[in-house]
Amino acid sequence: MKTRILIKEGEYRLAKAGVMDAKIDAEELYCFACNCDKVVMFLRKEEEADKDVEEKYLELIERRASRIPLQHITGEQEFMGFRFKVTPDVLIPRQDTETLVTEAVKTIRQESERAAEEMKKASIFRKLRRRQCFEVLDLCCGSGSVGISLSRMLDTVSVSGTDISLPALKLAAANAALNRAKVEFFQGDMFDAVPEGRRVTAEGLSARAKGTKTGQFDMIVSNPPYIRSSIIPLLQEEVKKHEPIEALDGGRDGLDFYRTIVKQAHQRLKPEGWLLLEIGYDQGEELRKMIKDSGFYSPATVVKDLPGRDRVVKCRKK
């Protein structure tokens, strides 16, 4: 069977099984089966497919047709141009979340530029005491994709990632090593993880029982669970059956985690520290009101993603 026909057969089987983007997934699985890129795949389209490759490819297609996520089959996902390992212990990094990272990078760079301008006018003594890095907390970090991306994109940040899930944190630590990023990970329930939480490496809990951070940060970023509980059964098979529900379910109205964050984040932020939260497309105004009513922060702004939907809420500690 020619490679072109084999891939077309894969696409047909995936489409019949109700898989979205069947053509893209069929091509991705061929590249994975052959350990090649799409340029090589294109060059081989009129060649006869190797029998072993054909057998392996169709087995992968059957797994995908059973609605196992593509990323769980290949074991990885690209995010912000970096490669991340993925398992069923974490949410698969999504393009929507790149808006959170992009806005965080933009904000930190603006802060750095402002600080540099102020430093030009500062005394020698103040220059010597100048802050050397911008401390960031990636709350509910999962695979670590947000914090690791920030660490790679900015050489002036010190990033800590926290999560309640030990398997997720072990994977995040492995992803940090994979991407050569200096990020520390701590296990604990929400803000309790730093500085009281246990440090986590790719091998598990560190022998050093306590974190050394002060517990206050220049910026807190988070992509917390925000799906309404009633919506979970309506999600795609790939999501509701293969991704961790505890990383999706935000309670009856989807805002449970935001209530905790808004109530406690100001205690973990340095003066005028930033809070950036990913949200569902219809949660912007509710969260802005929650932030305003708390009295702890400046008026929040809502940042839209590439398709023009509300995606990130951003505010600053008063």
Side-chain angles (χ1 to χ4, degrees):
M1 186 185 300
K2 287 186 176 181
T3 297
R4 170 175 54 81
I5 297 173
L6 177 63
I7 296 173
K8 199 67 179 177
E9 175 65 19
E11 180 186 346
Y12 169 76
R13 295 187 187 188
L14 294 182
K16 186 178 179 182
V19 173
M20 293 180 63
D21 301 319
K23 183 177 186 296
I24 293 173
D25 285 9
E27 292 177 347
E28 290 286 349
L29 287 173
Y30 176 83
C31 292
F32 178 67
C34 297
N35 192 27
C36 70
D37 58 27
K38 289 192 175 181
V39 174
V40 173
M41 178 194 73
F42 177 79
L43 295 174
R44 291 178 180 173
K45 277 194 170 183
E46 298 304 322
E47 296 179 5
E48 288 292 320
D50 181 87
K51 290 296 181 183
D52 291 339
V53 169
E54 181 178 330
E55 182 177 342
K56 179 180 179 181
Y57 175 70
L58 292 177
E59 287 176 358
L60 294 173
I61 288 294
E62 287 307 305
R63 291 184 66 196
R64 183 69 185 96
S66 70
R67 307 303 288 274
I68 296 174
L70 174 69
Q71 295 85 351
H72 288 177
I73 297 172
T74 64
E76 63 180 45
Q77 170 72 350
E78 183 179 309
F79 180 84
M80 296 300 298
F82 305 109
R83 187 162 59 91
F84 291 88
K85 294 180 180 179
V86 174
T87 73
D89 292 316
V90 298
L91 283 184
I92 297 167
R94 289 167 167 81
Q95 187 177 13
D96 290 341
T97 307
E98 293 190 350
T99 304
L100 175 64
V101 176
T102 301
E103 190 62 27
V105 169
K106 174 184 172 183
T107 301
I108 293 170
R109 284 177 175 163
Q110 288 174 341
E111 285 293 291
S112 298
E113 290 171 2
R114 182 179 63 83
E117 286 298 315
E118 290 180 355
M119 199 55 60
K120 290 179 182 178
K121 308 170 187 176
S123 66
I124 294 176
F125 178 72
R126 187 180 170 193
K127 287 179 180 179
L128 290 173
R129 297 184 59 187
R130 178 182 179 179
R131 181 178 62 198
Q132 296 300 309
C133 65
F134 198 93
E135 292 190 297
V136 179
L137 173 63
D138 179 9
L139 187 69
C140 306
C141 68
S143 67
S145 58
V146 171
I148 291 168
S149 296
L150 289 175
S151 179
R152 283 298 312 273
M153 296 173 74
L154 298 162
D155 58 8
T156 58
V157 299
S158 172
V159 181
S160 297
T162 68
D163 206 291
I164 198 169
S165 167
L166 179 58
L169 288 170
K170 289 171 66 176
L171 181 66
N175 277 325
L178 175 67
N179 287 286
R180 302 184 303 282
K182 293 182 179 180
V183 180
E184 286 192 304
F185 295 98
F186 300 89
Q187 183 187 28
D189 187 5
M190 300 294 285
F191 290 103
D192 291 341
V194 177
E196 292 84 4
R198 297 286 300 273
R199 184 179 282 106
V200 178
T201 67
E203 289 71 39
L205 289 173
S206 171
R208 297 177 64 185
K210 298 292 183 180
T212 58
K213 295 288 183 181
T214 63
Q216 286 199 311
F217 300 86
D218 298 290
M219 176 180 285
I220 296 171
V221 295
S222 185
N223 176 21
Y226 58 73
I227 306 297
R228 294 177 177 84
S229 299
S230 60
I231 299 297
I232 301 292
L234 306 179
L235 297 175
Q236 292 178 336
E237 295 289 313
E238 289 88 342
V239 178
K240 66 183 180 183
K241 290 188 176 180
H242 296 282
E243 297 194 72
I245 295 301
E246 60 271 20
L248 294 165
D249 194 340
R252 183 183 58 80
D253 61 358
L255 300 174
D256 283 0
F257 283 82
Y258 297 114
R259 292 187 180 92
T260 299
I261 293 171
V262 170
K263 183 178 179 180
Q264 298 182 17
H266 70 101
Q267 298 170 341
R268 299 293 189 168
L269 285 169
K270 297 177 184 179
E272 297 189 319
W274 290 95
L275 177 63
L276 278 74
L277 304 171
E278 179 170 333
I279 58 170
Y281 72 94
D282 59 350
Q283 295 172 321
E285 289 307 311
E286 289 178 279
L287 188 51
R288 284 182 66 182
K289 184 178 185 303
M290 189 188 302
I291 288 169
K292 179 181 178 181
D293 291 346
S294 76
F296 299 131
Y297 311 93
S298 64
T301 57
V302 178
V303 181
K304 296 185 181 297
D305 58 20
L306 288 177
R309 298 168 299 197
D310 290 353
R311 185 56 58 192
V312 171
V313 166
K314 172 181 171 181
C315 63
R316 198 169 195 175
K317 178 180 175 178
K318 287 183 178 178

